[in-house]
Amino acid sequence: MKKVPVTEIEDGMLLAKPILGTDGKILLAPGVELKATMSSRLRNWGVVIVNILEERDDTSEEKENKLNKLEMTFEQVLENPNMKLIYDAVKKHIMDSE
Amino acid sequence: MEDTLKHLKDITNKLSDLPTLPTVVSQITQLMQNPRTSAAEVGEAITTDQSLTSKTLKLVNSAFYGFPGRIKTITHAIVILGFTTVKNIVLTASILNVIGKTGKSKEFDQEAFWLHSVSTGAIAKVLAELYKHKISEEAFIGGLLHDLGKVIINHCVVDLFEEVLIYRDKHNCLLKDAEKGVLKVTHQEIGSWVAERWKLPSNLTAVIQYHHNPELAGDYKEITGLVHLADIFARALGSGSGGDNSIPIVSETIWNDMNFNSIDLPKFLERAEDEITKASIFLQAI
């Protein structure tokens, strides 16, 4: 799953999470295919970002890239307990992301 | 200390093509300090500058603020979004107007730089809300502009900036240490010098000067601490790049002052990422 600003919706994107109205009712259900032309209507509903389904392979490769980058960024600072705490939390955040 | 001032003078003497901010910016900052100033007065001041007006209206109508295409005048924007928000939009729009989003050095990824900046702003905003500090707007702009000094170096003394980048790679150090090695002063010092010349609000100047050592920020320790933490989390999340491959160590004073151990980190990171996605809209609109 990835987050996409409404301004960047493309034809054929599949919704991963429902879009809810202010009253909590479902306006668009998960799995609905989006069209670029829906962008302005969504904006009028006050929607800013939408959750889009991704193909499985892309997700795991992206995760691996993110974890490698994280490792490199923190290489020199892991002895600091607070930095270690941040590192662990972000690592878990990346691994748990859908 | 005296040495730093001398080195700073050496560099700032070379900033001959430092752009000037439109006078309307200092007018507005002044107007806002007077509690009796009306929305119409501020609106009038802004509309004297055509390009600033259209840029401001473009931003307030972007999806970021949630009133797409509905706000037609500056006065209307002030009524709906409030003084502080409009002031911050005008400030950001005019700074980005004069320095531009593109840098001069081809060795520096400017797109990644602005993504890092806007991500820092977004996270600082989330932190301000989390701690119930009523400065989330200021925190956003502070994060967005905290690295002003880097932009200035890349804009005004690009040959020296490229020497800094070479030094950084050779010594595998943080950009600020490479700046110290080559220029003898850092982007914090250069940035705050420019901020003072531009008469930017003092909380913003403090953020620019002290985001790497927020415990020294005096009256503005709160907002500077938020931006300091946000900068570190933007790097940790790998959202853009301010020009470093590594990460500075978080200030222990700020960590303890904010009692950061008690924060629900997974929930915070989730919110931070949402806000970053939202803020990328802001970046497109500007």
Side-chain angles (χ1 to χ4, degrees):
Chain A
M1 189 182 79
K2 64 175 174 184
K3 295 176 196 299
V4 173
V6 277
T7 45
E8 287 174 21
I9 290 176
E10 288 167 15
D11 288 345
M13 284 182 165
L14 296 176
L15 207 55
K17 284 188 181 174
I19 290 174
L20 304 177
T22 39
D23 55 359
K25 281 197 184 132
I26 295 180
L27 298 173
L28 286 175
V32 165
E33 191 175 327
L34 299 176
K35 288 199 183 91
T37 49
M38 294 165 87
S39 173
S40 62
R41 200 189 329 154
L42 288 171
R43 282 179 59 175
N44 280 328
W45 288 347
V47 178
V48 180
I49 48 179
V50 289
N51 293 291
I52 298 296
L53 282 174
E54 277 182 301
E55 291 188 23
R56 199 29 73 196
D57 285 349
D58 288 0
T59 317
S60 53
E61 198 179 316
E62 206 189 309
K63 247 186 215 184
E64 205 163 306
N65 288 341
K66 278 187 181 171
L67 288 172
N68 285 338
K69 199 172 159 193
L70 179 74
E71 199 89 22
M72 263 170 50
T73 307
F74 278 79
E75 211 175 11
Q76 299 171 23
V77 297
L78 281 179
E79 277 168 30
N80 179 287
N82 292 339
M83 294 308 282
K84 177 82 167 65
L85 210 87
I86 296 177
Y87 169 82
D88 287 340
V90 174
K91 189 171 177 180
K92 190 167 180 304
H93 174 76
I94 295 172
M95 307 232 285
D96 290 352
S97 64
E98 287 165 43
Chain B
M1 188 61 197
E2 223 162 73
D3 268 1
T4 309
L5 280 177
K6 185 188 163 298
H7 293 311
L8 183 61
K9 203 160 173 263
D10 287 346
I11 287 290
T12 50
N13 279 341
K14 292 184 185 150
L15 304 182
S16 50
D17 59 344
L18 179 72
T20 47
L21 277 192
T23 45
V24 63
V25 177
S26 58
Q27 271 173 16
I28 294 164
T29 312
Q30 247 172 10
L31 275 175
M32 299 296 244
Q33 278 161 3
N34 181 352
R36 278 178 299 187
T37 299
S38 70
E41 278 174 281
V42 177
E44 217 168 275
I46 298 172
T47 36
T48 56
D49 189 318
Q50 262 307 313
S51 86
L52 200 54
T53 304
S54 64
K55 201 151 215 179
T56 304
L57 285 176
K58 193 177 161 204
L59 267 172
V60 297
N61 282 304
S62 74
F64 184 71
Y65 289 104
F67 300 96
R70 291 176 208 164
I71 303 174
K72 306 284 184 229
T73 64
I74 298 285
T75 318
H76 189 193
I78 295 171
V79 171
I80 290 193
L81 297 172
F83 268 132
T84 318
T85 305
V86 174
K87 180 192 77 178
N88 285 328
I89 291 171
V90 170
L91 199 62
T92 317
S94 40
I95 291 175
L96 288 178
N97 233 357
V98 297
I99 54 179
K101 268 197 288 184
T102 50
K104 287 189 178 160
S105 171
K106 289 188 177 66
E107 306 299 317
F108 191 69
D109 187 341
Q110 202 67 16
E111 206 175 310
F113 171 81
W114 281 110
L115 180 58
H116 165 73
S117 299
V118 85
S119 304
T120 305
I123 299 171
K125 186 178 168 204
V126 172
L127 282 170
E129 285 164 2
L130 210 59
Y131 281 89
K132 301 194 168 43
H133 294 325
K134 292 197 170 88
I135 47 167
S136 63
E137 282 289 334
E138 262 79 9
F140 177 71
I141 302 300
L144 184 67
L145 297 174
H146 72 285
D147 275 339
L148 178 69
K150 289 182 190 171
V151 183
I152 298 295
I153 305 172
N154 189 8
H155 187 89
C156 298
V157 280
V158 64
D159 47 332
L160 288 175
F161 187 57
E162 289 186 339
E163 273 181 51
V164 170
L165 297 178
I166 292 168
Y167 187 102
R168 173 203 63 188
D169 292 340
K170 197 173 149 199
H171 294 82
N172 189 23
C173 62
L174 289 169
L175 204 60
K176 69 182 170 83
D177 300 321
E179 289 159 356
K180 199 92 196 161
V182 177
L183 310 169
K184 313 286 178 233
V185 284
T186 60
H187 65 271
Q188 302 98 279
E189 286 147 354
I190 296 176
S192 61
W193 183 84
V194 172
E196 268 167 34
R197 249 179 96 115
W198 281 355
K199 299 193 172 55
L200 298 185
S202 33
N203 58 358
L204 194 52
T205 308
V207 166
I208 291 168
Q209 184 160 12
Y210 297 114
H211 61 271
H212 286 299
N213 33 16
E215 59 282 350
L216 303 179
D219 287 350
Y220 303 109
K221 198 164 131 187
E222 191 172 82
I223 184 170
T224 311
L226 296 177
V227 174
H228 168 77
L229 263 175
D231 177 23
I232 286 172
F233 274 98
R235 294 167 193 244
L237 286 168
S239 187
S241 165
D244 285 318
N245 301 319
S246 44
I247 193 165
I249 288 176
V250 64
S251 155
E252 202 163 344
T253 315
I254 296 299
W255 185 283
N256 293 336
D257 282 1
M258 287 173 72
N259 191 16
F260 203 72
N261 278 328
S262 65
I263 286 292
D264 180 350
L265 276 175
K267 211 167 147 192
F268 162 64
L269 290 171
E270 193 74 31
R271 259 185 82 183
E273 277 208 328
D274 279 355
E275 199 61 41
I276 289 172
T277 315
K278 225 170 110 179
S280 65
I281 299 175
F282 184 87
L283 200 56
Q284 285 167 4
I286 207 156

